[in-house]
Amino acid sequence: MASVLASKMGLNSLRRKQAKTFSVTVVTMDADLEFSCELKWKGKDLFELVCRTLGLRETWFFGLRYDVKDTVAWLKMDKKVLDHDMPKEEPIVFHFLAKFYPENVEDELVQDITQHLFFLQVKTSILEEEIYCPPEASVLLASYAIHAKYGDYDPNVHKPGFLSQEELLPKRVINLYQMTAEMWEERITVCYAEHRGRTRDEAEMEYLKIAQDLEMYGVNYFSIRNKKGTSLLLGVDALGLHIYDPSNKLTPKISFPWNEIRNISYSDKEFAIKPLDKRADVFKFNSSKLRVNKLILQLCIGNHDLFMRRRRVDSLEVQQMKMQAREEKARKQMERRRL
Amino acid sequence: NNPRNPHHHRALQEIRRSLMPFANETT
């Protein structure tokens, strides 16, 4: 008996020594997930596991982001996870985030989980002031965020003070006015009461629609220099590339829509945007950081691919997935009406 | 930038008006 036990123990420690796994933590917008990955896994294996765990099928919007030095990078699907240049202390931390954004949020997002993750990500970016949000829009959006959290407005339940623990507005907005917390709550509650009759899901979608209408998400900004050495901002989004003055992130000086670009090349650490119109100037730029240049290139390719894909018929698999999700949504709505 | 939905547009204008009297002098 003892020898059997000893041999079993020996076997277990041997197994441990030969462990072919490493641990990762995947932080989503509403949960932290722990996974044990095989050493040979590629980015795709981990990404697919996360999507399966979340029940998320609209995978094309998302990516796994990690911090590297003073910037961020996205896990490559066809490269081994451990071959990426990142700190290897376990658990390795990744953030599961929207990498690409829809052109039209209402038409394109199908699953509730996709919508929820987008909602949480955009809301966080607005509250943390990564995105500029005018004061009046902050109040309107806060009323929909509250609606998404608390359900439909009910004056018997939602009494003064019910928002006292909530983070409602960007600090910058609060500092612009001489208003107490109670006054802000009252403003937001007035709006909340005005859009009664919606479900939480509908409130989330309304939030995203308003934010999209006001162009408050979807652009990835990068500090760049043009060939004359002028500091500029580059914005990459679902519709194309935009060049901004660093002091005005909202109105581009020049835009290059994807369908008007003949080609974007990257060589000798320099980008060149060649417009379709051969008479138009080629726009050359770069970022001083190699990692940022790589990130720009990845986002250009990914956004352009999605732009082209939106203009083609969905694959059978995607058609089926969208149909299932729509049926599920319709079934839920029917159930709600019946109740 | 105005939202496509006129209802939102009106709501934003109303909120802007209601905030105005409380704006800090510097704004």
Side-chain angles (χ1 to χ4, degrees), chain A residues 136-137 140 144 175-179 183-184 187 191 206 210 213-214, chain B residues 1-5 8 11-12 14-16 18-19 22-24 27:
Chain A
E136 60 277 16
L140 186 61
Y144 280 100
N175 293 337
L176 287 174
Y177 297 89
Q178 290 174 349
M179 284 171 61
M183 288 160 82
W184 283 116
R187 288 286 176 286
C191 295
E206 214 54 37
I210 298 168
D213 275 355
L214 297 170
Chain B
N1 288 329
N2 291 322
R4 277 172 268 183
N5 182 331
H8 292 151
L12 289 173
E14 248 162 62
I15 299 167
R16 197 180 298 138
S18 76
L19 296 180
F22 304 98
N24 282 326
T27 58

Side-chain angles (χ1 to χ4, degrees), chain A residues 79-98:
Chain A
K79 188 172 172 179
K80 274 188 183 175
V81 176
L82 293 176
D83 285 351
H84 287 74
D85 180 18
M86 61 170 83
K88 298 293 185 316
E89 294 98 63
E90 291 187 33
I92 304 175
V93 179
F94 292 102
H95 294 265
F96 185 81
L97 293 167

Side-chain angles (χ1 to χ4, degrees), chain A residues 192-232:
Chain A
Y192 179 23
E194 272 173 17
H195 42 79
R196 274 170 101 167
R198 281 187 173 84
T199 63
R200 288 165 200 253
D201 289 347
E202 287 164 348
E204 280 187 0
M205 180 47 85
E206 214 54 37
Y207 185 104
L208 288 171
K209 276 162 59 182
I210 298 168
Q212 181 162 57
D213 275 355
L214 297 170
E215 293 173 20
M216 282 193 289
Y217 65 84
V219 191
N220 283 285
Y221 295 98
F222 301 97
S223 293
I224 54 158
R225 274 184 314 224
N226 65 8
K227 62 181 174 186
K228 286 183 195 156
T230 312
S231 292
L232 294 164

Side-chain angles (χ1 to χ4, degrees), chain A residues 95-203:
Chain A
H95 294 265
F96 185 81
L97 293 167
K99 182 177 178 186
F100 303 108
Y101 292 80
E103 279 177 42
N104 186 332
V105 70
E106 197 176 19
D107 290 348
E108 277 178 61
L109 300 192
V110 179
Q111 284 190 288
D112 287 346
I113 175 77
T114 320
Q115 175 190 301
H116 187 57
L117 291 177
F118 264 100
F119 163 71
L120 292 176
Q121 191 168 330
V122 173
K123 184 173 81 124
T124 305
S125 312
I126 288 175
L127 291 177
E128 290 179 358
E129 299 178 30
E130 285 162 27
I131 297 174
Y132 172 77
C133 183
E136 60 277 16
S138 316
V139 172
L140 186 61
L141 288 174
S143 75
Y144 280 100
I146 292 306
H147 197 141
K149 179 167 179 181
Y150 289 83
D152 215 358
Y153 176 69
D154 180 347
N156 298 318
V157 178
H158 305 123
K159 294 189 170 152
F162 81 107
L163 296 179
S164 61
Q165 299 304 312
E166 298 289 343
E167 191 190 355
L168 298 167
L169 301 162
K171 289 215 167 49
R172 179 187 49 82
V173 170
I174 295 174
N175 293 337
L176 287 174
Y177 297 89
Q178 290 174 349
M179 284 171 61
T180 62
E182 292 75 23
M183 288 160 82
W184 283 116
E185 185 189 278
E186 196 219 318
R187 288 286 176 286
I188 292 167
T189 309
V190 167
C191 295
Y192 179 23
E194 272 173 17
H195 42 79
R196 274 170 101 167
R198 281 187 173 84
T199 63
R200 288 165 200 253
D201 289 347
E202 287 164 348

Side-chain angles (χ1 to χ4, degrees), chain A residues 45-92:
Chain A
D45 299 307
L46 176 60
F47 181 72
E48 283 176 357
L49 177 62
V50 177
C51 292
R52 271 203 308 278
T53 307
L54 296 172
L56 190 141
R57 297 184 67 189
E58 293 173 277
T59 55
W60 47 88
F61 292 117
F62 295 87
L64 286 167
R65 203 180 75 181
Y66 57 93
D67 296 323
V68 53
K69 309 246 162 66
D70 53 353
T71 181
V72 293
W74 296 89
L75 196 70
K76 289 203 172 96
M77 294 293 161
D78 49 3
K79 188 172 172 179
K80 274 188 183 175
V81 176
L82 293 176
D83 285 351
H84 287 74
D85 180 18
M86 61 170 83
K88 298 293 185 316
E89 294 98 63
E90 291 187 33
I92 304 175

